[in-house]
């Protein structure tokens, strides 16, 4: 019948009330993202402690609005109390294996917001390419990018990403992975990487960052000074994974250093030697750090507020989660969420059924799990297939 | 995209990156989770990719190729593709006129012709024309490509004029694609081509892609983009699996209710105009469109708009409310099919129609008392494969009466239906497909191979190598038998595919199948293929 109106008075306002100011700040690990949504006949109310909670509530509100056959928008009376179970809900993009144009990154940030993901883990450089334009060391991208004019992230690009993310309540955590995964750093920073030897002579190839030279640490200090200033988040991801010892073992100066330091044949000690100095440098810059699990596994001494990123599957990751948290460190889970490992069918279910806290440990221990990250490594991913592969 | 805009050649950065990436890909394979690779050469060691030799991006590899170091320059403002003297085709040949323009744009991009280009220091002369000469008295300009069409061509590139000779226009299309792959840009943006001579023809005559528009509707644009990509890879058959259980998007003139009730929505249909567009767009690229109307199974969506077509399933004595395959015992079924396939035969010009015939579940038939009665009457016992064959044979007869050849999935052969000698059997079951090829060809039927090329089965890493390494004729059989294998198809079933992910999922993995079906049997080197395929892929973008 024409005159029947199933709607109450049309709703014209969604009122948003935020308790704590913070519009101009950056989201952090401690940010409160809780909100309350009250939709009733008299009013539409969104209450949140912080602007970050308001963002989450707006997303939810947008998901509640429906449209009927006549094109009328409507929303049901609703009461929602919401907050995230884990404070660190991240996504890793790899812009080294394949360059990702800015647009692709921004689009990804939009979709992250639709899904209430709040950390963009930017694995920005690695072996294949160095697209990050450094003002301290411009040669790094000049020599290390796939194309220094077109396949780089300028300072302005980086700020665009950080601000676009901030407006969506997303933290940007940059990863400058060392001492391994650094081949692209070599051309722009001569002397930084270890020269590999074939017998008595250099073989022409390079390995991880050379941990025995003072120049290395001068370089690292300057670079991380820049990174600390460019990226506002408290945390920087320092990598530290998959360090191949073959090149170190072949280099006579390193062999001499190992003897001098009394490390014997244990190259994890050399790795730790580097990592420890790196961690000190970054701490002194007033930043916290995240590292891949090898740093913990190899017994490197790290600060108590280090976040250990669990990614390996050779040992059941639940075991690693237990070990990391038992040692008192906060843990981040990625191992079951390597979305670059595609397979046929509805593989979203396997990702969904992961229970991050399913490991042997006390309740307080489990509180140390701050969340997880889905990873989209870039070996087989570029802008032509990123979006349908990730979402 | 794959259209006229996207075919810039020789993107230095991407190519340069690709020189480094292969080492990482082939060595590291997995970035994480795998043992680290050997120390790699520092990236500064990659050379200027513009020094790449022209054969480095040919795909598929021609049968015979001779190149020299003599380089010729092409001036976009002056260069012309035109009909050569003595060609049986001329300016009235719309198909070639269209192709000339299309390939000009692929080679030079849209903006290039405006700017005058300076003479390149690395060129020893200018190539001013590509003359296309069709030698057969009937060039085929206004006809549709057929299984027996000649796709051979002979391309000579020398100063000042390159000549592309082909029996029919189809060979000219293949040759134009190859010509466009020979032109490369140097560091200064000059267009260069090496003097060369190519004789080429496909190893297999049927080189297809299967698209499934029932599990997910594919908008027209998506299909047309795919036809472009097929042409880049010399594929010549679009196997259009247009309807199935989930939806019936084909708008039938004789039975409009089929799509009215069976399509996902009114927006998810292919009108007669859409269908014609696809057929013509394909024709201009030398691609045959073979529609598949799969019966008697895979027909749930047909029942929505055609009452009494499907078998009512029974739960004990009473209909359960659900339906099974097409009901083979009713005359109305065959009346329907007669009218329906009359329409299909007139709408789709190809000599072949694919009738499906796969995965027929017998449970519903077994539950239906009328069907059981019919089985008894026919003396089929409890062998429902006989009922299936009874049905299929009648459909095959109907379609034959419209002078169409039939393609069927292997079950039709496996279940001993009586097939006409010119029926093409498509082998799709992965388990022991070599054995199936033996059986099919031993029985004297032509076969096409799809089993190892189900590209909807995605997996991590460089699975193109798996598809590339298939040798279709690796099965026990005589030479005569092996000649009955006329080609194959890469299938992209649509359960997990729609317009949002079709292109990156299908390409460039299908390119591997394209080369396997076109190039010579002994073109198997993966390193060389990787080099050419990565260049080809960037060009396709």
């Amino acid at each position: 019948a024409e005159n029947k109106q199933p709607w109450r008075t049309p709703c014209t306002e969604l009122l948003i009330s935020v308790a704590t100011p913070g519009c101009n700040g950056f989201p952090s690990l401690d940010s409160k993202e809780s909100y309350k949504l009250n939709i009733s006949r008299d009013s539409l109310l969104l209450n949140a402690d912080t602007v970050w909670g308001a963002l989450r509530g707006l997303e939810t509100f947008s998901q509640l609005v429906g449209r009927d056959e006549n094109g009328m928008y409507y929303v049901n009376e609703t009461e929602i109390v919401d907050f995230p179970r884990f404070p660190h809900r991240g996504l890793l993009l790899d812009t080294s294996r394949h360059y990702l144009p800015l647009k692709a990154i921004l689009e990804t940030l939009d979709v992250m917001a639709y899904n209430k993901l709040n950390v963009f883990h930017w694995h920005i450089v690695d072996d294949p390419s160095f697209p990050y334009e450094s003002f301290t060391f411009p040669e790094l991208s000049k020599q290390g990018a796939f194309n220094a004019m077109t396949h780089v992230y300028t300072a302005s690009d980086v700020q665009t990403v950080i601000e676009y993310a901030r407006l969506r309540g997303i933290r940007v955590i940059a990863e400058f992975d060392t001492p391994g995964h650094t081949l692209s750093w070599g051309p722009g920073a001569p002397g930084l990487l270890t020269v590999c030897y074939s017998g008595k002579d250099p073989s022409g190839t390079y390995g991880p960052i050379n941990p025995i030279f003072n120049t290395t640490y001068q370089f690292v200090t300057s670079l991380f000074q820049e990174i600390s200033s460019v990226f506002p988040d408290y945390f920087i991801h320092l990598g530290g994974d998959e360090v191949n010892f073959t090149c170190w073992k072949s280099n006579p100066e390193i062999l001499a250093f190992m003897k001098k330091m009394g490390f014997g044949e244990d190259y994890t000690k050399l790795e730790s030697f580097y990592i420890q100095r790196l961690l000190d440098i970054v701490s002194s810059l007033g930043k916290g750090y995240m590292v891949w699990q090898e740093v913990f596994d190899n017994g490197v001494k790290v600060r108590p507020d280090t976040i250990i990123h669990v990614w390996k599957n050779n040992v059941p990751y639940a075991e690693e989660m237990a070990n990391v948290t038992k040692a008192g460190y906060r843990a981040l889970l990625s191992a079951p969420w390597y979305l670059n490992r595609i397979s046929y069918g509805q593989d979203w279910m396997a990702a969904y059924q992961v229970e991050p806290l399913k490991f042997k440990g006390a309740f307080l221990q489990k509180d140390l799990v701050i969340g997880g990250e889905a990873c989209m490594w870039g070996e087989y991913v570029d802008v032509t297939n990123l979006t349908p592969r990730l979402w | 995209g794959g259209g006229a805009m996207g075919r810039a050649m020789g993107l230095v950065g991407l190519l340069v990156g690709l020189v480094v990436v292969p080492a990482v890909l082939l060595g590291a394979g997995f970035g994480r989770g795998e043992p680290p690779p050997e120390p790699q050469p520092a990236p500064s060691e990659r050379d200027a990719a513009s020094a790449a030799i022209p054969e480095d991006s040919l795909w598929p590899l021609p049968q015979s190729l001779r190149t020299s170091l003599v380089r010729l320059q092409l001036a976009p403002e002056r260069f012309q593709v035109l009909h050569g003297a003595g060609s049986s085709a001329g300016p009235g040949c719309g198909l070639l006129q269209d192709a000339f323009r299309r390939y000009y744009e692929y080679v030079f991009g849209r903006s290039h012709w405006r700017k005058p280009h300076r003479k390149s220091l690395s060129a020893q002369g200018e190539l001013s024309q590509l003359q296309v000469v069709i030698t057969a008295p009937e060039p085929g300009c206004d006809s549709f490509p057929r299984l027996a069409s000649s796709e051979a061509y002979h391309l000579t590139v020398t100063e000042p004029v390159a000549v592309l000779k082909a029996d029919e226009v189809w060979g000219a299309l293949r040759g134009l694609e190859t010509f466009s792959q020979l032109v490369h840009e140097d560091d200064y943006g000059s267009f260069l081509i090496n003097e060369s001579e190519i004789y080429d023809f496909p190893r297999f005559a049927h080189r297809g892609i299967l698209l499934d528009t029932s599990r997910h509707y594919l908008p027209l644009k998506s299909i047309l983009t795919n036809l472009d990509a097929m042409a880049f890879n010399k594929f010549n058959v679009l196997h259009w699996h247009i309807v199935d259980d989930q939806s019936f998007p084909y708008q039938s003139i004789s039975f409009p209710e089929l799509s009215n009730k069976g399509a996902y929505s009114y927006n998810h249909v292919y009108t007669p105009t859409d269908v014609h567009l696809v057929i013509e767009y394909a024709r201009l690229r030398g691609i045959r469109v073979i529609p598949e109307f799969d019966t008697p199974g895979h027909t749930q969506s047909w029942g929505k708009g055609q009452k009494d077509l499907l078998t009512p399933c029974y739960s004990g004595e009473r209909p359960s409310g659900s339906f099974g395959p097409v009901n083979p015992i009713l005359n109305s079924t065959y009346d329907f099919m007669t009218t329906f396939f009359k329409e299909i035969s007139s709408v789709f010009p190809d000599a072949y129609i694919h009738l499906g015939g796969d995965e027929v579940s017998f449970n519903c038939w077994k539950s239906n008392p009328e069907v059981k009665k019919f089985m008894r009457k026919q003396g089929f016992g409890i062998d429902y494969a006989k009922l299936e064959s009874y049905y299929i044979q009648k459909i095959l007869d109907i379609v034959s009466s419209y002078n169409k050849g039939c393609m069927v999935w292997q079950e039709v052969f496996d279940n001993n239906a009586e097939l006409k000698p010119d029926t093409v059997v498509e082998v799709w079951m992965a388990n022991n497909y070599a054995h199936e090829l033996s059986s099919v060809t031993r029985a004297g039927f032509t076969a096409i191979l799809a089993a190892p090329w189900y590209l909807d089965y995605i997996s991590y890493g460089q699975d193109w190598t798996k598809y590339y390494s298939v040798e279709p004729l690796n099965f026990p059989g005589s030479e005569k038998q092996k000649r009955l294998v006329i080609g194959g198809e890469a299938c992209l079933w649509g359960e997990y595919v729609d317009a949002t992910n079709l292109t990156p999922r299908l390409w460039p993995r299908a390119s591997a199948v394209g080369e396997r079906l076109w190039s010579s049997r002994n073109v198997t080197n993966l390193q060389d293929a990787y080099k050419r395929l990565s260049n080809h892929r960037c060009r396709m973008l």
Side-chain angles (χ1 to χ4, degrees):
Chain A
E2 295 95 316
N3 287 325
K4 177 172 168 169
Q5 252 193 344
W7 326 105
R8 296 297 178 155
T9 356
C11 332
T12 53
E13 296 178 331
L14 169 65
L15 287 174
I16 303 180
S17 175
V18 175
T20 330
C23 289
N24 298 320
F26 285 91
S28 73
L29 182 60
D30 309 310
S31 295
K32 288 216 179 61
E33 296 174 276
S34 52
Y35 66 91
K36 288 198 179 77
L37 202 48
N38 275 290
I39 299 169
S40 69
R41 63 193 67 188
D42 306 310
S43 58
L44 307 170
L45 295 173
L46 168 55
N47 276 291
D49 270 328
T50 67
V51 292
W52 318 117
L55 289 175
R56 304 300 167 235
L58 279 167
E59 175 59 40
T60 302
F61 178 77
S62 76
Q63 296 185 5
L64 288 168
V65 177
R67 208 164 181 202
D68 71 5
E69 325 76 76
N70 303 315
M72 179 89 79
Y73 294 98
Y74 66 86
V75 64
N76 282 38
E77 270 193 349
T78 314
E79 212 184 288
I80 292 182
V81 174
D82 200 9
F83 56 87
R85 180 183 175 200
F86 292 105
H88 183 122
R89 306 180 303 283
L91 183 69
L92 180 152
L93 283 187
D94 169 1
T95 56
S96 173
R97 273 57 181 262
H98 283 93
Y99 179 78
L100 292 175
L102 198 60
K103 191 166 152 210
I105 298 178
L106 300 183
E107 201 174 84
T108 302
L109 290 168
D110 278 329
V111 192
M112 284 174 67
Y114 302 155
N115 291 272
K116 296 191 171 68
L117 289 168
N118 67 355
V119 176
F120 170 41
H121 174 166
W122 194 348
H123 186 92
I124 187 168
V125 298
D126 201 301
D127 282 328
S129 74
F130 195 105
Y132 171 76
E133 247 182 25
S134 159
F135 54 83
T136 320
F137 300 106
E139 287 297 300
L140 284 173
S141 62
K142 272 222 191 92
Q143 308 279 347
F146 282 135
N147 179 310
M149 299 311 307
T150 58
H151 289 57
V152 291
Y153 301 107
T154 61
S156 145
D157 289 340
V158 173
Q159 290 312 308
T160 300
V161 169
I162 292 172
E163 179 61 6
Y164 200 90
R166 188 185 78 85
L167 292 174
R168 287 152 183 77
I170 297 170
R171 301 163 56 200
V172 178
I173 299 183
E175 178 183 349
F176 284 83
D177 191 353
T178 69
H181 286 280
T182 45
L183 284 180
S184 66
W185 302 43
L192 180 69
L193 302 185
T194 309
V195 177
C196 311
Y197 274 68
S198 193
K200 293 229 164 72
D201 306 297
S203 68
T205 60
Y206 298 85
I209 287 184
N210 196 324
I212 73 177
F213 296 138
N214 286 332
T215 47
T216 292
Y217 299 100
Q218 282 158 13
F219 170 87
V220 164
T221 303
S222 303
L223 180 65
F224 278 93
Q225 213 155 32
E226 171 180 326
I227 293 167
S228 303
S229 70
V230 167
F231 292 91
D233 199 84
Y234 174 68
F235 286 92
I236 302 183
H237 200 301
L238 302 178
D241 63 310
E242 298 182 311
V243 183
N244 186 340
F245 297 149
T246 313
C247 186
W248 282 351
K249 288 178 177 168
S250 74
N251 181 296
E253 289 172 296
I254 293 198
L255 290 165
F257 186 81
M258 290 285 286
K259 251 208 287 270
K260 192 176 91 175
M261 301 294 290
F263 289 160
E265 299 281 315
D266 189 356
Y267 282 81
T268 64
K269 292 204 163 86
L270 182 59
E271 187 190 329
S272 299
F273 173 82
Y274 167 84
I275 293 272
Q276 241 131 22
R277 290 183 71 167
L278 171 66
L279 298 181
D280 287 341
I281 289 167
V282 175
S283 293
S284 69
L285 293 166
K287 293 290 195 186
Y289 39 76
M290 295 170 50
V291 288
W292 296 109
Q293 67 180 76
E294 284 95 319
V295 173
F296 169 80
D297 295 342
N298 291 347
V300 180
K301 253 185 29 204
V302 300
R303 282 209 322 205
D305 69 343
T306 310
I307 296 176
I308 308 290
H309 201 157
V310 176
W311 69 272
K312 293 172 94 158
N313 276 302
N314 52 345
V315 157
Y317 63 82
E319 221 176 277
E320 181 75 3
M321 295 293 279
N323 292 340
V324 167
T325 51
K326 183 131 162 272
Y329 297 106
R330 284 177 294 181
L332 206 52
L333 181 61
S334 280
W337 291 323
Y338 267 34
L339 304 189
N340 54 311
R341 298 289 196 111
I342 59 172
S343 58
Y344 179 70
Q346 296 200 57
D347 54 354
W348 69 273
M349 299 199 282
Y352 191 78
Q353 286 171 324
V354 169
E355 175 37 65
L357 301 187
K358 192 155 163 211
F359 60 87
K360 287 207 186 67
F363 281 123
L364 281 180
Q365 233 183 291
K366 299 201 176 182
D367 280 346
L368 291 172
V369 178
I370 57 167
E373 293 189 351
C375 299
M376 184 49 76
W377 294 104
E379 283 85 350
Y380 302 105
V381 175
D382 67 10
V383 70
T384 66
N385 63 355
L386 173 75
T387 300
R389 189 162 289 202
L390 191 47
W391 306 101
Chain B
M5 277 307 280
R7 293 261 310 234
M9 304 281 208
L11 294 166
V12 176
L14 277 171
L15 280 174
V16 161
L18 285 163
V19 174
V20 176
V21 168
V24 177
L25 283 178
L26 292 175
F30 293 94
R32 271 183 169 63
E34 302 300 317
E38 295 296 296
Q40 302 289 343
S44 61
E45 287 187 20
R46 51 196 165 190
D47 358 317
S50 56
I53 44 183
E55 307 89 274
D56 269 11
S57 69
L58 292 179
W59 194 279
L61 194 68
Q63 300 292 343
S64 144
L65 164 68
R66 253 191 328 113
T67 56
S68 86
L69 295 172
V70 177
R71 271 196 289 254
L72 305 173
Q73 184 170 7
L74 294 80
E77 328 81 84
R78 290 193 286 281
F79 186 80
Q80 289 189 303
V81 185
L82 39 82
H83 303 279
S87 176
S88 60
C93 182
L95 181 146
L96 283 183
Q97 293 299 125
D98 196 69
F100 292 172
R101 180 183 60 184
R102 182 168 71 251
Y103 276 97
Y104 177 94
E105 282 173 353
Y106 285 154
V107 170
F108 298 113
R110 283 232 174 101
S111 55
H112 280 282
W113 66 272
R114 289 186 205 279
K115 301 184 249 141
H117 277 65
R118 71 185 71 237
K119 189 153 181 281
S120 166
L121 294 171
S122 45
Q124 287 104 320
E126 177 171 329
L127 188 75
S128 58
Q129 286 182 351
L130 171 61
Q131 292 184 355
V132 178
V133 178
I134 309 299
T135 55
E138 285 303 318
C141 293
D142 299 315
S143 57
F144 288 92
R146 297 149 36 238
L147 181 63
S149 294
S150 167
E151 293 175 282
Y153 64 91
H154 176 205
L155 177 63
T156 3
V157 179
T158 51
E159 202 190 2
V161 156
V163 177
L164 170 57
K165 270 212 189 88
D167 289 327
E168 299 175 353
V169 293
W170 320 114
L173 290 175
R174 306 298 170 237
L176 281 166
E177 175 61 38
T178 303
F179 177 82
S180 76
Q181 296 185 2
L182 287 169
V183 180
H184 53 282
E185 262 181 272
D186 70 4
D187 286 348
Y188 305 94
S190 297
F191 297 96
L192 301 173
I193 189 170
N194 285 45
E195 287 202 335
S196 38
E197 184 172 18
I198 294 179
Y199 281 96
D200 200 10
F201 56 87
R203 181 181 173 202
F204 291 104
H206 183 118
R207 307 178 306 282
I209 296 283
L210 179 150
L211 285 186
D212 169 2
T213 58
S214 172
R215 275 59 180 263
H216 283 93
Y217 179 79
L218 293 176
L220 206 59
K221 187 166 154 207
S222 193
I223 300 179
L224 300 184
T225 300
N226 199 65
L227 287 167
D228 281 326
M230 287 171 65
F232 299 154
N233 293 272
K234 296 189 170 70
F235 276 99
N236 66 356
V237 175
L238 173 65
H239 173 168
W240 193 351
H241 187 92
I242 187 169
V243 300
D244 202 298
D245 281 328
Q246 284 85 344
S247 73
F248 196 104
Y250 172 75
Q251 200 173 73
S252 161
I253 313 156
S254 328
F255 301 100
E257 286 296 281
L258 284 170
S259 61
N260 280 349
K261 297 277 171 6
Y264 282 132
S265 86
Y266 290 116
N267 290 325
H268 292 72
V269 296
Y270 301 109
T271 63
T273 309
D274 292 338
V275 173
H276 283 294
L277 228 141
V278 170
I279 292 172
E280 180 60 8
Y281 199 90
R283 188 187 81 85
L284 292 174
R285 287 154 183 75
I287 297 170
R288 302 164 55 200
V289 177
I290 300 182
E292 178 185 348
F293 287 90
D294 191 354
T295 71
H298 287 279
T299 45
Q300 290 297 299
S301 66
W302 300 51
K304 307 263 179 357
Q306 186 70 18
K307 254 169 51 74
D308 303 330
L309 179 66
L310 304 184
T311 313
C313 311
Y314 274 67
S315 193
E317 307 278 309
R318 298 181 17 243
S320 69
S322 62
F323 297 88
V326 170
N327 196 329
I329 74 175
L330 301 174
N331 286 334
S332 54
T333 293
Y334 302 103
D335 292 335
F336 167 84
M337 291 295 174
T338 301
T339 310
F340 184 76
F341 278 103
K342 180 158 186 226
E343 171 183 323
I344 301 305
S345 302
S346 75
V347 168
F348 292 91
D350 198 79
Y352 283 83
I353 300 180
H354 200 303
L355 301 179
D358 61 311
E359 298 182 311
V360 184
S361 166
F362 295 151
N363 293 335
C364 187
W365 284 351
K366 287 178 178 168
S367 76
N368 182 301
E370 309 282 308
V371 174
K372 285 193 282 212
K373 205 156 68 180
F374 185 83
M375 288 285 286
R376 277 197 295 275
K377 196 174 90 179
Q378 295 285 323
F380 290 159
I382 50 163
D383 189 356
Y384 283 81
K386 291 204 165 88
L387 181 59
E388 184 192 313
S389 299
Y390 167 88
Y391 166 85
I392 282 280
Q393 270 154 221
K394 290 184 81 146
I395 305 301
L396 290 171
D397 287 340
I398 289 169
V399 173
S400 295
S401 75
Y402 297 125
N403 281 323
K404 294 289 190 183
C406 300
M407 287 180 55
V408 291
W409 295 109
Q410 70 181 73
E411 286 96 318
V412 175
F413 168 81
D414 294 342
N415 292 345
N416 297 311
E418 250 179 57
L419 303 175
K420 295 240 180 349
D422 67 344
T423 311
V424 180
V425 177
E426 185 158 10
V427 174
W428 70 271
M429 293 171 134
N431 201 6
N432 218 345
Y433 64 82
H435 179 260
E436 181 74 5
L437 283 173
S438 283
S439 309
V440 171
T441 52
R442 197 177 329 121
F445 295 105
T446 40
I448 57 175
L449 181 61
W453 293 321
Y454 267 33
L455 301 194
D456 55 319
Y457 288 156
I458 59 173
S459 58
Y460 180 69
Q462 294 199 56
D463 56 354
W464 70 271
T465 58
K466 182 174 64 173
Y467 305 128
Y468 191 77
S469 303
V470 170
E471 174 38 63
L473 301 188
N474 243 0
F475 64 88
S478 64
E479 278 313 300
K480 185 156 172 266
Q481 262 177 270
K482 302 206 172 180
R483 277 196 288 275
L484 290 172
V485 177
I486 55 170
E489 294 187 344
C491 301
L492 194 70
W493 295 103
E495 283 85 350
Y496 301 105
V497 175
D498 67 10
T500 67
N501 65 355
L502 178 102
T503 301
R505 188 163 290 199
L506 188 53
W507 307 100
R509 291 154 79 224
S511 300
V513 181
E515 177 154 300
R516 181 52 49 231
L517 292 174
W518 177 281
S519 303
S520 156
R521 180 174 187 152
N522 54 23
V523 176
T524 53
N525 182 299
L526 283 172
Q527 252 90 300
D528 181 66
Y530 180 88
K531 192 172 49 164
R532 288 181 293 109
L533 183 57
S534 16
N535 289 335
H536 178 59
R537 182 250 180 186
C538 284
R539 178 176 50 226
M540 287 201 284
L541 291 175

